[in-house]
Amino acid sequence: MADPVPSPDDASGALRLTLEDGVAWLTLDDPAKKVNTVSSRVMAGFEALLDRIEAEKPRGLVLVSGKPDTFVAGADIEELQGLSDPAEVRALLERGHELCQRIHHLPFPTVAAIHGACLGGGLELALACDLRVATEHPKTKLGLPEVQLGLFPGLGGTQRLPRLIGVASALPLILSGSQVDAKKARRLGIVDATCHPADLRTAALRLVDQGKVKGHGKPRSSFLQKAQNALASVPVAKSIVYSKAREGVMAKTGGHYPAPLKALEVIEEGMSLPLDKALELEAKGFSELVVSPEAKSLMGIFFMKNEVDGRAAALAAKATHDVERAGVLGAGFMGSGIAQVLAYKDIRVELKDRDWPSVGRGLKSCRDLFQGLVRRRKMTPVELTLAMSRIHPAVDYGGFGRLEFVIEAVFEDVALKHKVIQEVEAVTSERLIFASNTSTIPIARLAGGSSRPHNVVGMHFFSPVHKMPLLEVIRHPATSEEALATTVQVGKRMGKTVIVVNDGPGFFTTRVLAPFLNEAAWILTQGAPIEQIDRALTRWGFPVGPIALMDEVGIDIGGHVSRVLLEYFGERIQAPEIFQRLLDDGRTGRKGGKGFYRYENGKKKGVDESVYQLLEWSKSEIADQEIVERCWMQMLNETAHCIEEGIIENPADIDIGVIFGFGFPPFRGGILHEADRLGLAHVVARLDHYADRYGDRLAPAQLLRDMAARGAKFHGDD
Ligand code: NAI
């Protein structure tokens, strides 16, 4: 029964208080936001209602969300990004700590009833409660993802989580920002119970009663957690736990991201202090991080991604119908990857190749990918069987008649692609949308072979399809709005971040990657060792160096892309002759077990020294700084050409494209952010310098010169 005296809303409007049978229910439901977040406005509302709750003296307090699928999604990042003074940040955090401590010290049991995303500040609020229950629902995820924004949990998470579940269990969650479902959270001890979503209120009330029985405020750590924490306080064991974690962070981040290292420092020191002192330490560390350039870049990516996703969602909403069945042509590396993701997302697939052995290989790789999901408990064996049953293998077009969407991933050959377009059009209706996964061929050229060019569109996936988050959708001048909207909708359904670009050879991503790889190849021929080139760029923050990347992409494919782009852009995209020499020597890269590097059982083993002989190479000194500048500035230069030609224009699309497409160092915030940070006048001067020494391919694009002359920035004056 609700409180007969209506409870006024708090001043923020984000919280509702009701009293039912002596239990206070505090419902977070911020009408100003799609999801609940923790902000100073919400905190003010909380504080006011806590005064009231204290006065009401209920027998328990339950914190619950009024949003359909989120508990609390985290802190209000817009508010955080706007803060530039560490003292201001610290004051905000101290206020948050005080609020959590007040919840923690309430003289009756407090319970967080969690359904949906319970992340960052949301989980920290829940951790301040005595007990937690979470629903066993796919939307329920718990985690502290702050490191992904260049921060760490600042509302007590670095101190409360290790105290609750043990340092060894808490470190991976805090340092990687990974999320867990309700069952895993229960196993780890983050929540005390799980339930069906329909039972959340009953389960929360049960915990209120249990809280009373157990005695409020006493630590509830399990034997194992107590043992972990006790061990972690023994000097030798302690130093092993933390130094192992530090090594792991360094190996993963190359030291480019201060947040996880700072988190480790704060946890290690904080665990030997009383909680209130430890929280002060956390507030200090967080306030330093939030104004760091890395956090600014990573938060910038968060906003850019929201912007890109928002635009794609608006486009997708224009599609007149949903795609429930799709055809995939080519069950090779890309085709099978595309089919697997479609089936995973509940879309039925006709997977066609030339012959049964090829289809069989494709099906096997789909099954292998699903089995990986089963091993990681992301899928049950029954779901695997169901997902595989959504993929219908074919060697003819018998099942294509009713399809309205087909993606082709056959060999990169214009004549073959024209042939399959015509075959598909012969058996399908006028509405059929034909999407090509070509990586280089202009879509207009492919549409030239179609009787319905308005329904031809580019859908450029990245490999491996199931892992890579980006999808580049390409419209050519005749692509219809419906074809574009439907393609974006399918891409979003597949869980991809979609950028839409205009047509041209190599579109945006392949086109800007090519000069980056070419420049690395030129540097190699000029005498820098392979290891040095790759190391220089991974130290700068790329996940793999450019020479290793050529092995990954395939030297045959790289050579082919190079030839296609050369045909359109001439000398600027000219690569040295090394690809052909390697190919003549039977080197295709990782897939063939032989490239610039040696491979044993698929594992990369050091540089293949015989490459140097093959290239008649001799060493000469080239500084790391030059290697890095020449490579990334060539990528920037080609980006500027793409902007000049109208291939792409939005800075967020560009920065998200290079980060999500091929791992441009996220802490640099994207290629345009990096150029803005250095100043375009500096970039132009460096390119001019290299053009003088090595030729016109390095000459800065006119756009860069003009912007440098005006003192302009790509991302405005932020
Ligand atoms: P792949 O060689 O692994 O697969 C191509 C498949 O097409 C083979 O299974 C082949 O049997 C099949 N095929 C050939 N003719 C066919 C026909 N008439 N009907 C049905 N199937 C036919 O090649 P991959 O790497 O999957 O590339 C496919 C396409 O994706 C190419 O256009 C490539 O440029 C593009 N792409 C490749 C990426 C990569 O990283 N490998 C990345 C992005 C795009």
Side-chain angles (χ1 to χ4, degrees):
M1 278 253 304
D3 184 7
V5 186
S7 305
D9 282 358
D10 74 293
S12 73
L15 297 140
R16 264 192 322 270
L17 176 64
T18 45
L19 274 173
E20 291 176 35
D21 297 331
V23 174
W25 291 83
L26 194 50
T27 307
L28 281 113
D29 192 356
D30 190 348
K33 302 250 178 189
K34 234 164 67 191
V35 294
N36 292 319
T37 56
V38 182
S39 63
S40 50
R41 185 173 59 85
V42 171
M43 279 200 276
F46 234 118
E47 287 158 355
L49 286 180
L50 277 182
D51 290 343
R52 207 172 117 75
I53 294 167
E54 279 165 346
E56 293 280 354
K57 298 194 174 45
R59 66 184 175 90
L61 167 69
V62 181
L63 211 58
V64 69
S65 163
K67 301 282 185 202
D69 284 321
T70 33
F71 177 71
V72 178
D76 182 336
I77 297 163
E78 255 168 72
E79 179 171 15
L80 280 180
Q81 222 211 11
L83 300 174
S84 51
D85 177 4
E88 217 182 332
V89 180
R90 215 166 149 176
L92 183 70
L93 290 184
E94 280 165 3
R95 186 171 168 196
H97 283 158
E98 211 170 289
L99 176 72
C100 289
Q101 285 291 69
R102 259 183 92 184
I103 298 175
H104 180 68
H105 288 300
L106 285 172
F108 40 79
T110 51
V111 172
I114 301 162
H115 172 70
C118 174
L119 303 172
L123 180 55
E124 293 174 289
L125 270 180
L127 288 172
C129 295
D130 296 319
L131 297 166
R132 285 150 294 280
V133 54
T135 61
E136 286 176 21
H137 186 277
K139 292 262 164 78
T140 299
K141 295 274 174 218
L142 297 93
L144 296 170
E146 287 85 346
V147 283
Q148 288 161 4
L149 293 174
L151 307 170
F152 60 59
L155 219 56
T158 64
Q159 304 305 318
R160 284 204 164 90
L161 191 65
R163 280 169 172 78
L164 181 69
I165 66 169
V167 173
S169 302
L171 284 182
L173 287 171
I174 296 173
L175 302 182
S176 75
S178 58
Q179 299 173 16
V180 294
D181 60 16
K183 279 190 179 161
K184 177 98 191 269
R186 174 85 181 93
R187 278 200 300 279
L188 286 170
I190 301 173
V191 300
D192 304 272
T194 62
C195 66
H196 187 275
D199 297 333
L200 187 59
R201 291 177 78 86
T202 322
L205 283 176
R206 209 175 299 129
L207 285 188
V208 166
D209 294 335
Q210 197 179 322
K212 194 169 64 187
V213 175
K214 280 192 160 184
H216 164 74
K218 290 200 186 124
R220 294 176 320 279
S221 307
S222 70
F223 173 73
L224 183 68
Q225 288 140 16
K226 277 185 201 144
Q228 270 187 13
N229 284 347
L231 257 181
S233 64
V234 175
V236 179
K238 181 172 151 182
S239 78
I240 293 175
V241 170
Y242 291 107
S243 71
K244 276 264 164 249
R246 199 161 281 120
E247 266 171 38
V249 168
M250 289 304 288
K252 237 173 113 183
T253 67
H256 288 302
Y257 296 85
L261 295 172
K262 192 87 194 156
L264 263 172
E265 219 179 280
V266 164
I267 297 168
E268 186 170 6
E269 213 180 317
M271 285 302 282
S272 57
L273 297 172
L275 184 62
D276 54 343
K277 291 279 166 227
L279 291 175
E280 281 173 24
L281 203 68
E282 184 191 78
K284 182 171 173 290
F286 186 98
S287 59
E288 287 163 14
L289 274 182
V290 82
V291 294
S292 68
E294 292 82 1
K296 294 269 174 219
S297 290
L298 294 175
M299 286 193 266
I301 293 172
F302 174 84
F303 291 118
M304 287 192 292
K305 181 172 179 309
N306 278 352
E307 183 191 329
V308 169
D309 284 345
R311 261 185 285 125
L315 249 179
K318 292 186 185 160
T320 54
H321 65 286
D322 295 343
V323 170
E324 296 305 336
R325 297 168 71 93
V328 176
L329 295 178
F333 181 54
M334 295 302 287
S336 58
I338 294 167
Q340 187 263 342
V341 178
L342 287 168
Y344 188 50
K345 299 290 175 178
D346 282 340
I347 297 179
R348 302 185 76 80
V349 184
E350 283 289 321
L351 178 61
K352 178 193 175 297
D353 206 301
R354 295 178 293 185
D355 46 46
W356 287 114
S358 306
V359 180
R361 278 192 297 275
L363 281 179
K364 181 177 179 307
S365 53
C366 292
R367 180 175 290 278
D368 288 348
L369 288 170
F370 284 129
Q371 264 160 354
L373 289 172
V374 171
R375 271 196 303 279
R376 296 201 304 282
R377 298 189 197 213
K378 300 247 161 100
M379 199 178 207
T380 64
V382 174
E383 285 166 344
L384 178 152
T385 309
L386 282 174
M388 281 306 291
S389 74
R390 284 193 282 274
I391 305 177
H392 181 250
V395 290
D396 58 37
Y397 293 100
F400 275 58
R402 283 176 32 229
L403 296 184
E404 294 185 350
F405 197 87
V406 169
I407 305 172
E408 74 77 18
V410 299
F411 301 132
E412 187 78 339
D413 172 334
V414 180
L416 175 63
K417 291 194 193 272
H418 277 165
K419 179 172 165 279
V420 296
I421 290 177
Q422 283 149 17
E423 287 169 354
V424 168
E425 287 180 347
V427 296
T428 52
S429 81
E430 285 290 317
R431 290 180 61 162
L432 178 100
I433 294 164
F434 190 95
S436 171
N437 179 44
T438 171
S439 43
T440 43
I441 307 167
I443 304 304
R445 192 162 169 203
L446 294 180
S450 158
S451 57
R452 312 163 194 154
H454 55 284
N455 279 350
V456 178
V457 62
M459 206 175 186
H460 181 210
F461 290 92
F462 293 75
S463 75
V465 180
H466 67 288
K467 269 203 189 143
M468 296 298 286
L470 189 72
L471 170 67
E472 184 178 27
V473 168
I474 305 112
R475 67 171 154 223
H476 71 97
T479 303
S480 71
E481 283 302 308
E482 176 67 16
L484 182 67
T486 308
T487 308
V488 172
Q489 190 199 59
V490 173
K492 286 200 70 72
R493 175 110 178 245
M494 292 173 79
K496 302 298 174 195
T497 294
V498 184
I499 59 170
V500 177
V501 307
N502 286 318
D503 194 22
F507 331 116
F508 168 62
T509 51
T510 306
R511 180 164 160 189
V512 300
L513 186 61
F516 170 81
L517 298 180
N518 282 354
E519 202 53 35
W522 282 112
I523 293 168
L524 170 61
T525 58
Q526 287 161 359
I530 292 169
E531 301 92 324
Q532 187 199 354
I533 299 171
D534 278 349
R535 202 177 45 232
L537 282 138
T538 49
R539 280 198 181 146
W540 198 69
F542 272 98
V544 279
I547 311 276
L549 186 58
M550 288 186 222
D551 266 6
E552 296 296 329
V553 170
I555 295 168
D556 50 341
I557 293 185
H560 178 76
V561 169
S562 237
R563 276 194 302 282
V564 173
L565 296 183
L566 185 66
E567 193 187 310
Y568 289 94
F569 302 115
E571 225 176 277
R572 198 173 73 225
I573 302 277
Q574 177 90 57
E577 278 305 304
I578 62 174
F579 291 129
Q580 201 49 51
R581 284 206 199 181
L582 281 140
L583 285 174
D584 292 346
D585 191 48
R587 293 169 194 261
T588 53
R590 179 192 282 276
K591 63 183 169 192
K594 207 170 153 204
F596 290 98
Y597 287 84
R598 286 180 295 110
Y599 298 87
E600 275 168 32
N601 301 325
K603 284 222 164 85
K604 192 166 97 182
K605 305 270 167 193
V607 167
D608 187 340
E609 299 289 329
S610 61
V611 168
Y612 293 123
Q613 254 176 331
L614 196 69
L615 300 179
E616 295 165 47
W617 178 89
S618 60
K619 186 172 188 304
S620 75
E621 283 307 320
I622 300 181
D624 281 4
Q625 190 195 347
E626 173 174 331
I627 295 172
V628 165
E629 282 185 347
R630 283 172 61 184
C631 288
W632 87 262
M633 286 184 185
Q634 273 299 67
M635 186 186 273
L636 175 71
N637 217 2
E638 200 56 38
T639 301
H641 287 296
C642 286
I643 300 173
E644 283 170 343
E645 291 167 29
I647 300 291
I648 193 166
E649 55 173 302
N650 188 294
D653 283 345
I654 293 171
D655 279 343
I656 288 295
V658 296
I659 294 167
F660 285 36
F662 34 77
F664 191 90
F667 67 92
R668 299 187 185 276
I671 194 161
L672 300 185
H673 262 293
E674 181 66 5
D676 284 348
R677 192 182 67 79
L678 289 173
L680 290 179
H682 171 79
V683 171
V684 166
R686 297 308 293 159
L687 280 168
D688 273 333
H689 165 77
Y690 292 126
D692 282 349
R693 288 180 68 184
Y694 303 115
D696 277 352
R697 71 171 184 283
L698 285 141
Q702 193 56 43
L703 178 84
L704 294 179
R705 286 197 192 286
D706 294 346
M707 288 181 72
R710 293 200 311 272
K713 285 180 168 189
F714 286 106
H715 282 278
D717 293 321
D718 60 351

